[in-house]
């Protein structure tokens, strides 16, 4: 017998909210393979693979509408998506290494009492800006998740003031 997961189990495994899964179902992005006799959404291993693809594309910065187009067109395989994630991670590492190199260069010059040019500081500031832009994009994504969880809590507890 195939293993199946209820919506709460899948949400917990994936680190997202039940509300998010319901929303994905509502917009036709990600629907369960079936329902239990009592009406619970049931997800299979194939569903989990599809959700991983969706979450990976979301992490890459695609909108839900763009993800829907990609997922419906079979334009990207699971391997393609994993490769994109690897490329993104390598780029993040490259940017961190660049910042480290720039800071080490300035530190070394300072230790040797050598003069620093505006270009040295401009390189550091540019690299820091690129890292900060990525950081804030990730923070926004995290905040969106927390707002989803708050919304889910409020949906489940409508009687509480506030």
């Amino acid at each position: 017998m195939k293993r199946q997961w209820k919506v709460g189990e899948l949400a917990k495994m994936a680190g997202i909210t039940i509300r998010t899964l319901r929303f994905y179902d509502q917009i036709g992005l990600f629907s369960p393979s079936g329902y239990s006799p009592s009406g619970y959404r049931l997800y299979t291993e194939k569903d989990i693979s599809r959700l991983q693809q969706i979450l990976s594309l979301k992490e890459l910065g695609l909108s839900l509408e763009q993800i829907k187009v990609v997922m419906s067109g079979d334009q990207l395989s699971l391997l393609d998506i994993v490769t994109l994630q690897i490329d993104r991670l390598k780029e993040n590492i490259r940017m961190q290494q660049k910042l480290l190199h720039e800071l080490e260069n300035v530190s070394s010059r300072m230790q040797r009492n050598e003069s620093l040019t505006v270009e040295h500081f401009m390189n550091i500031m540019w690299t820091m800006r690129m890292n900060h832009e990525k950081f804030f994009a990730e923070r926004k994504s995290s905040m969106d998740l927390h707002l989803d969880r708050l919304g889910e809590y409020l949906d489940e507890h409508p009687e509480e003031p506030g």
Side-chain angles (χ1 to χ4, degrees):
M1 184 173 147
K2 277 188 170 178
R3 173 96 198 266
Q4 295 183 319
W5 294 265
K6 292 179 184 175
V7 69
E9 295 169 319
L10 180 58
K12 186 174 182 175
M13 284 181 0
I16 59 176
T17 64
I18 293 170
R19 183 174 173 226
T20 298
L21 288 171
R22 288 180 182 152
F23 178 70
Y24 288 176
D25 187 16
Q26 183 181 27
I27 65 171
L29 178 62
F30 178 71
S31 298
S33 288
Y35 293 88
S36 71
S38 54
Y40 289 106
R41 291 174 168 87
L42 297 174
Y43 299 91
T44 64
E45 288 179 13
K46 185 176 177 183
D47 294 329
I48 292 172
S49 174
R50 181 174 170 85
L51 180 60
Q52 188 275 327
Q53 291 174 329
I54 291 167
L55 296 177
S56 296
L57 291 169
K58 187 175 180 200
E59 183 180 313
L60 291 170
L62 275 68
S63 71
L64 293 180
E65 202 52 48
Q66 291 169 322
I67 293 171
K68 196 173 180 181
V69 169
V70 169
M71 296 299 291
S72 67
D74 293 327
Q75 297 170 355
L76 293 176
S77 68
L78 180 57
L79 175 61
D80 294 331
I81 293 168
V82 169
T83 301
L84 286 171
Q85 284 185 291
I86 290 169
D87 292 343
R88 180 174 179 253
L89 184 57
K90 285 180 179 177
E91 177 62 18
N92 291 343
I93 291 168
R94 188 187 69 74
M95 290 299 295
Q96 292 295 318
Q97 287 174 331
K98 180 169 177 43
L99 178 58
L100 176 61
H101 173 75
E102 296 295 339
L103 290 169
E104 286 175 338
N105 182 30
V106 167
S107 174
S108 176
R109 288 179 158 281
M110 292 171 88
Q111 289 172 8
R112 293 188 311 262
N113 290 322
E114 293 179 12
S115 63
L116 297 171
T117 66
V118 169
E119 185 176 274
H120 291 111
F121 291 108
M122 293 300 290
N123 287 341
I124 291 171
M125 288 188 292
W126 180 84
T127 306
M128 287 172 50
R129 189 183 86 229
M130 298 308 287
N131 283 327
H132 281 96
E133 287 174 4
K134 181 188 175 334
F135 171 79
F136 285 113
E138 289 174 354
R139 291 296 301 156
K140 181 189 177 304
S141 177
S142 175
M143 287 174 57
D144 288 345
L145 177 62
H146 290 296
L147 288 172
D148 279 349
R149 288 182 178 157
L150 176 61
E152 179 181 323
Y153 176 83
L154 293 174
D155 287 347
E156 292 172 1
H157 302 88
E159 68 285 349
E160 294 185 21

